[in-house]
Amino acid sequence: MKRILSGIQPSGTLTLGNYIGAIKQFVELQKQHPDAEFYLFVADLHAITTEQEPKDLRQRIRQVAAMYIASGLSLEQTTIFIQSEIKEHAELGYLLQCHTYMGELERMTQFKDKSKKQTTGITASLFTYPALMAADILLYDADYVPVGEDQKQHLELTRDIASRFNNRYGDFFKVPEPLIPKVGARIMDLQNPAKKMSKSDASDKGYISLLDEETSIKKKIRSAVTDSLGIVAFDPENQPGVANLLTIYASLTDSTIEAITKKYQGKGYQEFKNDLADIVANTIMPIQKRFFEIMGSKELENLLDKGKEAAQMVAYRKVEKCKQKIGLGRKK
Ligand code: TYM
């Protein structure tokens, strides 16, 4: 049976980028692979690599878990859990740090970008983050890891670490394959299409939160930055704003970019944006409705308890064996 695993950080309210690049993919993959097992977790240990307010963090952890459920995943097929509740993530993270080189971590563009934004207070964990991410994946022998484009480099490093470990100690870790969507792997900021839509952004005009009100969602799409050409065409270089909106449109309607540009031939941006505003709102509002029902329910607690138990069993065995391979402790 194939195992598909992914995680989302509770470092802000989830965005349309997270939905299109990751969550939507999870739901589609479940339909395509009814026999596969899904492990989806809330990456709270990753969130604390940058400063978090404890009360907000706790609230957002529940929100990410509830959003997984609200997005329509089949609960029979999915183990949902919170990363920090499984101690083995931190433990294997350390073991893998001992098999990761400084040079590899220094090349990670996400670290370079994040540490550029911040001049002081860059934590050691922000630097070693990819080793923890490798642990998240390798603990569970995941076959596939669906993620957006920004995580591709971390996945490549995970594969390198796994292969290095296997070469040194004998076959032990499954080398995972990333699954990156063909359309929508990198949704851009609505106000600045040169940068990725991000939940940790200070200004909320450039991103759509999955918890935004309907009027605000529509307003943000209608006021998204475009250009003065007035042609609905896919040209990321010269019309990055329109290209981004076309990508969102194509992803949420499962249609091709060509079909959409044809539909809006000879029409201005206004009609295109109005239609897209409706499409985005009609996608998010039903998810939001389920989300609020789940947030206050006992179902969420029960599910997370069940998830914790299931993940714990797998993770414990894997780390114990890993320590044996390395030669730690006493021989069993
Ligand atoms: P995170 O929390 O930043 O993002 C969660 C998922 O959403 C995708 N994503 C996007 N996709 C398209 N366009 C965007 N603008 C956009 N923004 C985010 C991300 O690629 C990701 O798939 N390190 C990870 C979390 C993590 C993880 C893991 C993922 C920790 N351990 C193990 C997979 C496997 C992260 O920070 O994602």
Side-chain angles (χ1 to χ4, degrees), residues 8 13-15 18-19 23 27 42 60-73 80 209-212 284 287-292 294-295 300:
I8 297 181
T13 53
L14 298 192
T15 70
N18 296 125
Y19 179 75
I23 300 174
V27 181
V42 184
R60 287 197 306 257
I61 290 170
R62 284 182 72 83
Q63 286 185 349
V64 174
M67 207 45 100
Y68 278 137
I69 305 171
S71 63
L73 290 162
I80 298 177
S209 154
L210 296 183
L211 297 181
D212 275 345
I284 293 180
I287 297 177
Q288 219 178 83
K289 186 168 171 276
R290 283 196 299 274
F291 168 86
F292 286 116
I294 295 159
M295 270 303 273
L300 181 60

PDB file of all heavy atoms in Angstrom, residues 8 13-15 18-19 23 27 42 60-73 80 209-212 284 287-292 294-295 300:
ATOM      1  N   ILE A   8       1.552  21.028   6.947  1.00  0.00           N
ATOM      2  CA  ILE A   8       1.369  22.474   6.778  1.00  0.00           C
ATOM      3  C   ILE A   8       1.712  23.148   8.107  1.00  0.00           C
ATOM      4  O   ILE A   8       1.310  22.680   9.176  1.00  0.00           O
ATOM      5  CB  ILE A   8      -0.090  22.806   6.377  1.00  0.00           C
ATOM      6  CG1 ILE A   8      -0.423  22.168   5.017  1.00  0.00           C
ATOM      7  CG2 ILE A   8      -0.314  24.315   6.327  1.00  0.00           C
ATOM      8  CD1 ILE A   8      -1.829  22.445   4.511  1.00  0.00           C
ATOM      9  N   THR A  13      -3.013  32.188   9.121  1.00  0.00           N
ATOM     10  CA  THR A  13      -4.207  31.503   8.605  1.00  0.00           C
ATOM     11  C   THR A  13      -3.897  31.017   7.191  1.00  0.00           C
ATOM     12  O   THR A  13      -3.179  31.676   6.451  1.00  0.00           O
ATOM     13  CB  THR A  13      -5.452  32.426   8.549  1.00  0.00           C
ATOM     14  OG1 THR A  13      -5.091  33.594   7.837  1.00  0.00           O
ATOM     15  CG2 THR A  13      -5.964  32.752   9.918  1.00  0.00           C
ATOM     16  N   LEU A  14      -4.427  29.868   6.854  1.00  0.00           N
ATOM     17  CA  LEU A  14      -4.087  29.281   5.559  1.00  0.00           C
ATOM     18  C   LEU A  14      -4.602  30.151   4.418  1.00  0.00           C
ATOM     19  O   LEU A  14      -5.633  30.796   4.526  1.00  0.00           O
ATOM     20  CB  LEU A  14      -4.683  27.878   5.443  1.00  0.00           C
ATOM     21  CG  LEU A  14      -4.171  26.872   6.471  1.00  0.00           C
ATOM     22  CD1 LEU A  14      -4.579  25.473   6.101  1.00  0.00           C
ATOM     23  CD2 LEU A  14      -2.672  26.954   6.614  1.00  0.00           C
ATOM     24  N   THR A  15      -3.863  30.123   3.330  1.00  0.00           N
ATOM     25  CA  THR A  15      -4.203  30.974   2.188  1.00  0.00           C
ATOM     26  C   THR A  15      -4.708  30.147   1.005  1.00  0.00           C
ATOM     27  O   THR A  15      -4.583  28.921   0.978  1.00  0.00           O
ATOM     28  CB  THR A  15      -2.969  31.752   1.695  1.00  0.00           C
ATOM     29  OG1 THR A  15      -2.078  30.810   1.089  1.00  0.00           O
ATOM     30  CG2 THR A  15      -2.267  32.488   2.810  1.00  0.00           C
ATOM     31  N   ASN A  18      -1.972  27.906  -0.206  1.00  0.00           N
ATOM     32  CA  ASN A  18      -1.893  26.608   0.462  1.00  0.00           C
ATOM     33  C   ASN A  18      -2.964  25.666  -0.074  1.00  0.00           C
ATOM     34  O   ASN A  18      -2.727  24.469  -0.255  1.00  0.00           O
ATOM     35  CB  ASN A  18      -2.116  26.736   1.981  1.00  0.00           C
ATOM     36  CG  ASN A  18      -1.051  27.552   2.678  1.00  0.00           C
ATOM     37  OD1 ASN A  18      -1.353  28.523   3.366  1.00  0.00           O
ATOM     38  ND2 ASN A  18       0.203  27.200   2.487  1.00  0.00           N
ATOM     39  N   TYR A  19      -4.150  26.240  -0.318  1.00  0.00           N
ATOM     40  CA  TYR A  19      -5.244  25.395  -0.804  1.00  0.00           C
ATOM     41  C   TYR A  19      -4.922  24.835  -2.192  1.00  0.00           C
ATOM     42  O   TYR A  19      -5.009  23.630  -2.418  1.00  0.00           O
ATOM     43  CB  TYR A  19      -6.568  26.188  -0.834  1.00  0.00           C
ATOM     44  CG  TYR A  19      -7.702  25.352  -1.363  1.00  0.00           C
ATOM     45  CD1 TYR A  19      -8.266  24.358  -0.557  1.00  0.00           C
ATOM     46  CD2 TYR A  19      -8.167  25.500  -2.667  1.00  0.00           C
ATOM     47  CE1 TYR A  19      -9.277  23.546  -1.047  1.00  0.00           C
ATOM     48  CE2 TYR A  19      -9.175  24.693  -3.159  1.00  0.00           C
ATOM     49  CZ  TYR A  19      -9.722  23.713  -2.347  1.00  0.00           C
ATOM     50  OH  TYR A  19     -10.705  22.891  -2.844  1.00  0.00           O
ATOM     51  N   ILE A  23      -3.540  21.506  -0.395  1.00  0.00           N
ATOM     52  CA  ILE A  23      -4.749  20.826   0.098  1.00  0.00           C
ATOM     53  C   ILE A  23      -5.614  20.233  -1.032  1.00  0.00           C
ATOM     54  O   ILE A  23      -6.071  19.092  -0.950  1.00  0.00           O
ATOM     55  CB  ILE A  23      -5.595  21.793   0.966  1.00  0.00           C
ATOM     56  CG1 ILE A  23      -4.758  22.254   2.170  1.00  0.00           C
ATOM     57  CG2 ILE A  23      -6.879  21.138   1.430  1.00  0.00           C
ATOM     58  CD1 ILE A  23      -5.409  23.310   3.037  1.00  0.00           C
ATOM     59  N   VAL A  27      -6.833  16.133  -1.763  1.00  0.00           N
ATOM     60  CA  VAL A  27      -8.190  15.612  -1.992  1.00  0.00           C
ATOM     61  C   VAL A  27      -8.248  14.872  -3.333  1.00  0.00           C
ATOM     62  O   VAL A  27      -8.817  13.782  -3.426  1.00  0.00           O
ATOM     63  CB  VAL A  27      -9.223  16.769  -1.945  1.00  0.00           C
ATOM     64  CG1 VAL A  27     -10.630  16.255  -2.161  1.00  0.00           C
ATOM     65  CG2 VAL A  27      -9.141  17.513  -0.610  1.00  0.00           C
ATOM     66  N   VAL A  42       0.069  18.676  11.263  1.00  0.00           N
ATOM     67  CA  VAL A  42       0.206  20.108  11.508  1.00  0.00           C
ATOM     68  C   VAL A  42       1.649  20.315  11.966  1.00  0.00           C
ATOM     69  O   VAL A  42       2.049  19.815  13.021  1.00  0.00           O
ATOM     70  CB  VAL A  42      -0.780  20.564  12.605  1.00  0.00           C
ATOM     71  CG1 VAL A  42      -0.694  22.071  12.788  1.00  0.00           C
ATOM     72  CG2 VAL A  42      -2.201  20.119  12.287  1.00  0.00           C
ATOM     73  N   ARG A  60      -4.092  28.259  16.050  1.00  0.00           N
ATOM     74  CA  ARG A  60      -3.855  27.963  14.630  1.00  0.00           C
ATOM     75  C   ARG A  60      -3.569  26.481  14.381  1.00  0.00           C
ATOM     76  O   ARG A  60      -3.833  25.978  13.298  1.00  0.00           O
ATOM     77  CB  ARG A  60      -2.727  28.838  14.098  1.00  0.00           C
ATOM     78  CG  ARG A  60      -3.163  30.302  13.928  1.00  0.00           C
ATOM     79  CD  ARG A  60      -2.209  31.050  13.046  1.00  0.00           C
ATOM     80  NE  ARG A  60      -0.859  30.937  13.534  1.00  0.00           N
ATOM     81  CZ  ARG A  60      -0.193  31.883  14.194  1.00  0.00           C
ATOM     82  NH1 ARG A  60      -0.752  33.035  14.432  1.00  0.00           N
ATOM     83  NH2 ARG A  60       1.033  31.659  14.607  1.00  0.00           N
ATOM     84  N   ILE A  61      -3.043  25.805  15.395  1.00  0.00           N
ATOM     85  CA  ILE A  61      -2.807  24.363  15.256  1.00  0.00           C
ATOM     86  C   ILE A  61      -4.150  23.660  15.027  1.00  0.00           C
ATOM     87  O   ILE A  61      -4.312  22.853  14.114  1.00  0.00           O
ATOM     88  CB  ILE A  61      -2.091  23.796  16.510  1.00  0.00           C
ATOM     89  CG1 ILE A  61      -0.655  24.312  16.557  1.00  0.00           C
ATOM     90  CG2 ILE A  61      -2.125  22.267  16.526  1.00  0.00           C
ATOM     91  CD1 ILE A  61       0.078  24.026  17.859  1.00  0.00           C
ATOM     92  N   ARG A  62      -5.129  24.025  15.851  1.00  0.00           N
ATOM     93  CA  ARG A  62      -6.473  23.443  15.681  1.00  0.00           C
ATOM     94  C   ARG A  62      -7.057  23.832  14.335  1.00  0.00           C
ATOM     95  O   ARG A  62      -7.730  23.043  13.683  1.00  0.00           O
ATOM     96  CB  ARG A  62      -7.416  23.954  16.776  1.00  0.00           C
ATOM     97  CG  ARG A  62      -7.208  23.332  18.125  1.00  0.00           C
ATOM     98  CD  ARG A  62      -8.240  23.894  19.101  1.00  0.00           C
ATOM     99  NE  ARG A  62      -9.581  23.385  18.828  1.00  0.00           N
ATOM    100  CZ  ARG A  62     -10.031  22.229  19.262  1.00  0.00           C
ATOM    101  NH1 ARG A  62      -9.260  21.467  19.994  1.00  0.00           N
ATOM    102  NH2 ARG A  62     -11.243  21.818  18.973  1.00  0.00           N
ATOM    103  N   GLN A  63      -6.792  25.073  13.942  1.00  0.00           N
ATOM    104  CA  GLN A  63      -7.356  25.550  12.668  1.00  0.00           C
ATOM    105  C   GLN A  63      -6.834  24.744  11.478  1.00  0.00           C
ATOM    106  O   GLN A  63      -7.596  24.393  10.590  1.00  0.00           O
ATOM    107  CB  GLN A  63      -7.027  27.029  12.459  1.00  0.00           C
ATOM    108  CG  GLN A  63      -7.830  27.951  13.339  1.00  0.00           C
ATOM    109  CD  GLN A  63      -7.566  29.411  13.015  1.00  0.00           C
ATOM    110  OE1 GLN A  63      -6.645  29.741  12.285  1.00  0.00           O
ATOM    111  NE2 GLN A  63      -8.360  30.292  13.591  1.00  0.00           N
ATOM    112  N   VAL A  64      -5.529  24.462  11.479  1.00  0.00           N
ATOM    113  CA  VAL A  64      -4.983  23.699  10.339  1.00  0.00           C
ATOM    114  C   VAL A  64      -5.602  22.297  10.326  1.00  0.00           C
ATOM    115  O   VAL A  64      -6.012  21.801   9.269  1.00  0.00           O
ATOM    116  CB  VAL A  64      -3.436  23.622  10.382  1.00  0.00           C
ATOM    117  CG1 VAL A  64      -2.916  22.701   9.288  1.00  0.00           C
ATOM    118  CG2 VAL A  64      -2.818  25.007  10.234  1.00  0.00           C
ATOM    119  N   ALA A  65      -5.701  21.686  11.511  1.00  0.00           N
ATOM    120  CA  ALA A  65      -6.284  20.339  11.578  1.00  0.00           C
ATOM    121  C   ALA A  65      -7.731  20.369  11.078  1.00  0.00           C
ATOM    122  O   ALA A  65      -8.150  19.514  10.285  1.00  0.00           O
ATOM    123  CB  ALA A  65      -6.216  19.813  13.013  1.00  0.00           C
ATOM    124  N   ALA A  66      -8.476  21.382  11.511  1.00  0.00           N
ATOM    125  CA  ALA A  66      -9.891  21.481  11.096  1.00  0.00           C
ATOM    126  C   ALA A  66      -9.991  21.750   9.593  1.00  0.00           C
ATOM    127  O   ALA A  66     -10.911  21.271   8.931  1.00  0.00           O
ATOM    128  CB  ALA A  66     -10.592  22.585  11.884  1.00  0.00           C
ATOM    129  N   MET A  67      -9.034  22.494   9.064  1.00  0.00           N
ATOM    130  CA  MET A  67      -9.064  22.825   7.632  1.00  0.00           C
ATOM    131  C   MET A  67      -8.818  21.564   6.789  1.00  0.00           C
ATOM    132  O   MET A  67      -9.412  21.403   5.731  1.00  0.00           O
ATOM    133  CB  MET A  67      -8.006  23.889   7.349  1.00  0.00           C
ATOM    134  CG  MET A  67      -8.297  24.768   6.188  1.00  0.00           C
ATOM    135  SD  MET A  67      -9.981  25.398   6.060  1.00  0.00           S
ATOM    136  CE  MET A  67      -9.825  27.050   6.698  1.00  0.00           C
ATOM    137  N   TYR A  68      -7.954  20.680   7.277  1.00  0.00           N
ATOM    138  CA  TYR A  68      -7.751  19.406   6.567  1.00  0.00           C
ATOM    139  C   TYR A  68      -9.098  18.684   6.428  1.00  0.00           C
ATOM    140  O   TYR A  68      -9.457  18.201   5.361  1.00  0.00           O
ATOM    141  CB  TYR A  68      -6.823  18.489   7.368  1.00  0.00           C
ATOM    142  CG  TYR A  68      -5.332  18.738   7.237  1.00  0.00           C
ATOM    143  CD1 TYR A  68      -4.505  18.720   8.359  1.00  0.00           C
ATOM    144  CD2 TYR A  68      -4.740  18.937   5.995  1.00  0.00           C
ATOM    145  CE1 TYR A  68      -3.127  18.902   8.261  1.00  0.00           C
ATOM    146  CE2 TYR A  68      -3.367  19.127   5.882  1.00  0.00           C
ATOM    147  CZ  TYR A  68      -2.559  19.101   7.016  1.00  0.00           C
ATOM    148  OH  TYR A  68      -1.222  19.287   6.903  1.00  0.00           O
ATOM    149  N   ILE A  69      -9.820  18.638   7.544  1.00  0.00           N
ATOM    150  CA  ILE A  69     -11.086  17.890   7.539  1.00  0.00           C
ATOM    151  C   ILE A  69     -12.123  18.615   6.667  1.00  0.00           C
ATOM    152  O   ILE A  69     -12.807  18.007   5.853  1.00  0.00           O
ATOM    153  CB  ILE A  69     -11.622  17.723   8.983  1.00  0.00           C
ATOM    154  CG1 ILE A  69     -10.550  17.061   9.862  1.00  0.00           C
ATOM    155  CG2 ILE A  69     -12.910  16.901   8.992  1.00  0.00           C
ATOM    156  CD1 ILE A  69     -10.891  17.052  11.344  1.00  0.00           C
ATOM    157  N   ALA A  70     -12.181  19.942   6.839  1.00  0.00           N
ATOM    158  CA  ALA A  70     -13.200  20.732   6.118  1.00  0.00           C
ATOM    159  C   ALA A  70     -12.997  20.691   4.602  1.00  0.00           C
ATOM    160  O   ALA A  70     -13.941  20.868   3.844  1.00  0.00           O
ATOM    161  CB  ALA A  70     -13.159  22.176   6.599  1.00  0.00           C
ATOM    162  N   SER A  71     -11.763  20.440   4.176  1.00  0.00           N
ATOM    163  CA  SER A  71     -11.500  20.482   2.735  1.00  0.00           C
ATOM    164  C   SER A  71     -12.000  19.234   2.011  1.00  0.00           C
ATOM    165  O   SER A  71     -11.890  19.146   0.795  1.00  0.00           O
ATOM    166  CB  SER A  71     -10.015  20.679   2.480  1.00  0.00           C
ATOM    167  OG  SER A  71      -9.317  19.574   3.004  1.00  0.00           O
ATOM    168  N   GLY A  72     -12.534  18.282   2.759  1.00  0.00           N
ATOM    169  CA  GLY A  72     -13.198  17.152   2.111  1.00  0.00           C
ATOM    170  C   GLY A  72     -12.356  15.900   1.979  1.00  0.00           C
ATOM    171  O   GLY A  72     -12.621  15.059   1.121  1.00  0.00           O
ATOM    172  N   LEU A  73     -11.357  15.752   2.843  1.00  0.00           N
ATOM    173  CA  LEU A  73     -10.556  14.519   2.808  1.00  0.00           C
ATOM    174  C   LEU A  73     -11.375  13.359   3.358  1.00  0.00           C
ATOM    175  O   LEU A  73     -12.202  13.545   4.255  1.00  0.00           O
ATOM    176  CB  LEU A  73      -9.311  14.696   3.677  1.00  0.00           C
ATOM    177  CG  LEU A  73      -8.270  15.659   3.130  1.00  0.00           C
ATOM    178  CD1 LEU A  73      -7.324  16.108   4.224  1.00  0.00           C
ATOM    179  CD2 LEU A  73      -7.477  14.980   2.017  1.00  0.00           C
ATOM    180  N   ILE A  80      -4.619  12.123  10.678  1.00  0.00           N
ATOM    181  CA  ILE A  80      -4.294  13.538  10.882  1.00  0.00           C
ATOM    182  C   ILE A  80      -3.702  13.689  12.286  1.00  0.00           C
ATOM    183  O   ILE A  80      -4.282  13.198  13.263  1.00  0.00           O
ATOM    184  CB  ILE A  80      -5.557  14.420  10.742  1.00  0.00           C
ATOM    185  CG1 ILE A  80      -6.121  14.290   9.320  1.00  0.00           C
ATOM    186  CG2 ILE A  80      -5.240  15.892  11.037  1.00  0.00           C
ATOM    187  CD1 ILE A  80      -7.401  15.049   9.070  1.00  0.00           C
ATOM    188  N   SER A 209      -7.117  34.698   2.589  1.00  0.00           N
ATOM    189  CA  SER A 209      -7.122  33.706   3.666  1.00  0.00           C
ATOM    190  C   SER A 209      -8.342  32.815   3.472  1.00  0.00           C
ATOM    191  O   SER A 209      -9.390  33.288   3.005  1.00  0.00           O
ATOM    192  CB  SER A 209      -7.205  34.432   5.002  1.00  0.00           C
ATOM    193  OG  SER A 209      -7.791  33.597   5.970  1.00  0.00           O
ATOM    194  N   LEU A 210      -8.222  31.566   3.838  1.00  0.00           N
ATOM    195  CA  LEU A 210      -9.375  30.658   3.722  1.00  0.00           C
ATOM    196  C   LEU A 210     -10.457  31.045   4.737  1.00  0.00           C
ATOM    197  O   LEU A 210     -11.545  30.505   4.703  1.00  0.00           O
ATOM    198  CB  LEU A 210      -8.939  29.202   3.911  1.00  0.00           C
ATOM    199  CG  LEU A 210      -7.974  28.652   2.853  1.00  0.00           C
ATOM    200  CD1 LEU A 210      -7.679  27.181   3.103  1.00  0.00           C
ATOM    201  CD2 LEU A 210      -8.535  28.827   1.432  1.00  0.00           C
ATOM    202  N   LEU A 211     -10.114  31.980   5.632  1.00  0.00           N
ATOM    203  CA  LEU A 211     -11.100  32.445   6.611  1.00  0.00           C
ATOM    204  C   LEU A 211     -11.586  33.873   6.326  1.00  0.00           C
ATOM    205  O   LEU A 211     -12.295  34.458   7.128  1.00  0.00           O
ATOM    206  CB  LEU A 211     -10.518  32.358   8.032  1.00  0.00           C
ATOM    207  CG  LEU A 211     -10.175  30.945   8.504  1.00  0.00           C
ATOM    208  CD1 LEU A 211      -9.624  30.956   9.916  1.00  0.00           C
ATOM    209  CD2 LEU A 211     -11.400  30.035   8.440  1.00  0.00           C
ATOM    210  N   ASP A 212     -11.218  34.421   5.187  1.00  0.00           N
ATOM    211  CA  ASP A 212     -11.709  35.751   4.816  1.00  0.00           C
ATOM    212  C   ASP A 212     -13.217  35.716   4.579  1.00  0.00           C
ATOM    213  O   ASP A 212     -13.770  34.688   4.166  1.00  0.00           O
ATOM    214  CB  ASP A 212     -11.055  36.212   3.489  1.00  0.00           C
ATOM    215  CG  ASP A 212      -9.708  36.870   3.707  1.00  0.00           C
ATOM    216  OD1 ASP A 212      -9.389  37.236   4.852  1.00  0.00           O
ATOM    217  OD2 ASP A 212      -8.961  37.010   2.715  1.00  0.00           O
ATOM    218  N   ILE A 284     -14.276  28.653  -1.544  1.00  0.00           N
ATOM    219  CA  ILE A 284     -13.882  28.810  -0.136  1.00  0.00           C
ATOM    220  C   ILE A 284     -15.071  28.761   0.833  1.00  0.00           C
ATOM    221  O   ILE A 284     -14.973  28.150   1.905  1.00  0.00           O
ATOM    222  CB  ILE A 284     -13.092  30.129   0.048  1.00  0.00           C
ATOM    223  CG1 ILE A 284     -11.749  30.026  -0.698  1.00  0.00           C
ATOM    224  CG2 ILE A 284     -12.863  30.433   1.527  1.00  0.00           C
ATOM    225  CD1 ILE A 284     -10.864  31.247  -0.599  1.00  0.00           C
ATOM    226  N   ILE A 287     -16.143  25.392   2.303  1.00  0.00           N
ATOM    227  CA  ILE A 287     -15.083  24.846   3.166  1.00  0.00           C
ATOM    228  C   ILE A 287     -15.140  25.562   4.516  1.00  0.00           C
ATOM    229  O   ILE A 287     -15.068  24.951   5.583  1.00  0.00           O
ATOM    230  CB  ILE A 287     -13.690  25.039   2.507  1.00  0.00           C
ATOM    231  CG1 ILE A 287     -13.619  24.248   1.199  1.00  0.00           C
ATOM    232  CG2 ILE A 287     -12.570  24.644   3.459  1.00  0.00           C
ATOM    233  CD1 ILE A 287     -12.329  24.415   0.428  1.00  0.00           C
ATOM    234  N   GLN A 288     -15.312  26.876   4.431  1.00  0.00           N
ATOM    235  CA  GLN A 288     -15.362  27.682   5.650  1.00  0.00           C
ATOM    236  C   GLN A 288     -16.536  27.274   6.554  1.00  0.00           C
ATOM    237  O   GLN A 288     -16.401  27.205   7.770  1.00  0.00           O
ATOM    238  CB  GLN A 288     -15.528  29.139   5.235  1.00  0.00           C
ATOM    239  CG  GLN A 288     -14.731  30.076   6.083  1.00  0.00           C
ATOM    240  CD  GLN A 288     -14.878  31.492   5.604  1.00  0.00           C
ATOM    241  OE1 GLN A 288     -15.847  32.173   5.953  1.00  0.00           O
ATOM    242  NE2 GLN A 288     -13.946  31.971   4.808  1.00  0.00           N
ATOM    243  N   LYS A 289     -17.657  26.975   5.931  1.00  0.00           N
ATOM    244  CA  LYS A 289     -18.846  26.600   6.709  1.00  0.00           C
ATOM    245  C   LYS A 289     -18.547  25.313   7.503  1.00  0.00           C
ATOM    246  O   LYS A 289     -18.801  25.235   8.694  1.00  0.00           O
ATOM    247  CB  LYS A 289     -20.022  26.400   5.735  1.00  0.00           C
ATOM    248  CG  LYS A 289     -21.319  26.148   6.415  1.00  0.00           C
ATOM    249  CD  LYS A 289     -22.498  26.254   5.451  1.00  0.00           C
ATOM    250  CE  LYS A 289     -23.765  25.789   6.094  1.00  0.00           C
ATOM    251  NZ  LYS A 289     -23.968  24.334   6.031  1.00  0.00           N
ATOM    252  N   ARG A 290     -17.977  24.325   6.793  1.00  0.00           N
ATOM    253  CA  ARG A 290     -17.635  23.070   7.480  1.00  0.00           C
ATOM    254  C   ARG A 290     -16.573  23.314   8.547  1.00  0.00           C
ATOM    255  O   ARG A 290     -16.606  22.743   9.619  1.00  0.00           O
ATOM    256  CB  ARG A 290     -17.114  22.030   6.475  1.00  0.00           C
ATOM    257  CG  ARG A 290     -18.213  21.375   5.670  1.00  0.00           C
ATOM    258  CD  ARG A 290     -17.735  20.103   4.996  1.00  0.00           C
ATOM    259  NE  ARG A 290     -16.646  20.331   4.070  1.00  0.00           N
ATOM    260  CZ  ARG A 290     -16.812  20.691   2.791  1.00  0.00           C
ATOM    261  NH1 ARG A 290     -18.029  20.855   2.313  1.00  0.00           N
ATOM    262  NH2 ARG A 290     -15.773  20.863   2.000  1.00  0.00           N
ATOM    263  N   PHE A 291     -15.620  24.177   8.214  1.00  0.00           N
ATOM    264  CA  PHE A 291     -14.532  24.487   9.139  1.00  0.00           C
ATOM    265  C   PHE A 291     -15.088  24.954  10.490  1.00  0.00           C
ATOM    266  O   PHE A 291     -14.682  24.473  11.546  1.00  0.00           O
ATOM    267  CB  PHE A 291     -13.615  25.549   8.518  1.00  0.00           C
ATOM    268  CG  PHE A 291     -12.631  26.141   9.473  1.00  0.00           C
ATOM    269  CD1 PHE A 291     -11.406  25.524   9.703  1.00  0.00           C
ATOM    270  CD2 PHE A 291     -12.913  27.316  10.169  1.00  0.00           C
ATOM    271  CE1 PHE A 291     -10.495  26.056  10.598  1.00  0.00           C
ATOM    272  CE2 PHE A 291     -12.015  27.854  11.062  1.00  0.00           C
ATOM    273  CZ  PHE A 291     -10.793  27.231  11.275  1.00  0.00           C
ATOM    274  N   PHE A 292     -16.031  25.907  10.455  1.00  0.00           N
ATOM    275  CA  PHE A 292     -16.547  26.444  11.719  1.00  0.00           C
ATOM    276  C   PHE A 292     -17.336  25.382  12.486  1.00  0.00           C
ATOM    277  O   PHE A 292     -17.325  25.373  13.712  1.00  0.00           O
ATOM    278  CB  PHE A 292     -17.369  27.716  11.482  1.00  0.00           C
ATOM    279  CG  PHE A 292     -16.479  28.891  11.162  1.00  0.00           C
ATOM    280  CD1 PHE A 292     -16.534  29.526   9.930  1.00  0.00           C
ATOM    281  CD2 PHE A 292     -15.540  29.339  12.087  1.00  0.00           C
ATOM    282  CE1 PHE A 292     -15.694  30.601   9.631  1.00  0.00           C
ATOM    283  CE2 PHE A 292     -14.690  30.403  11.802  1.00  0.00           C
ATOM    284  CZ  PHE A 292     -14.774  31.032  10.575  1.00  0.00           C
ATOM    285  N   ILE A 294     -16.606  22.191  12.496  1.00  0.00           N
ATOM    286  CA  ILE A 294     -15.618  21.257  13.036  1.00  0.00           C
ATOM    287  C   ILE A 294     -14.834  21.855  14.200  1.00  0.00           C
ATOM    288  O   ILE A 294     -14.559  21.180  15.189  1.00  0.00           O
ATOM    289  CB  ILE A 294     -14.641  20.815  11.916  1.00  0.00           C
ATOM    290  CG1 ILE A 294     -15.389  20.015  10.859  1.00  0.00           C
ATOM    291  CG2 ILE A 294     -13.479  19.997  12.465  1.00  0.00           C
ATOM    292  CD1 ILE A 294     -14.687  19.964   9.516  1.00  0.00           C
ATOM    293  N   MET A 295     -14.502  23.144  14.085  1.00  0.00           N
ATOM    294  CA  MET A 295     -13.667  23.787  15.105  1.00  0.00           C
ATOM    295  C   MET A 295     -14.209  23.598  16.522  1.00  0.00           C
ATOM    296  O   MET A 295     -13.452  23.398  17.465  1.00  0.00           O
ATOM    297  CB  MET A 295     -13.526  25.292  14.823  1.00  0.00           C
ATOM    298  CG  MET A 295     -12.367  25.664  13.956  1.00  0.00           C
ATOM    299  SD  MET A 295     -10.770  25.128  14.561  1.00  0.00           S
ATOM    300  CE  MET A 295     -10.311  26.486  15.637  1.00  0.00           C
ATOM    301  N   LEU A 300     -13.181  16.709  16.261  1.00  0.00           N
ATOM    302  CA  LEU A 300     -11.800  17.114  16.006  1.00  0.00           C
ATOM    303  C   LEU A 300     -10.861  16.516  17.051  1.00  0.00           C
ATOM    304  O   LEU A 300      -9.811  15.948  16.729  1.00  0.00           O
ATOM    305  CB  LEU A 300     -11.711  18.645  15.988  1.00  0.00           C
ATOM    306  CG  LEU A 300     -10.340  19.244  15.720  1.00  0.00           C
ATOM    307  CD1 LEU A 300      -9.801  18.799  14.372  1.00  0.00           C
ATOM    308  CD2 LEU A 300     -10.398  20.772  15.762  1.00  0.00           C
TER     309      LEU A 300
END
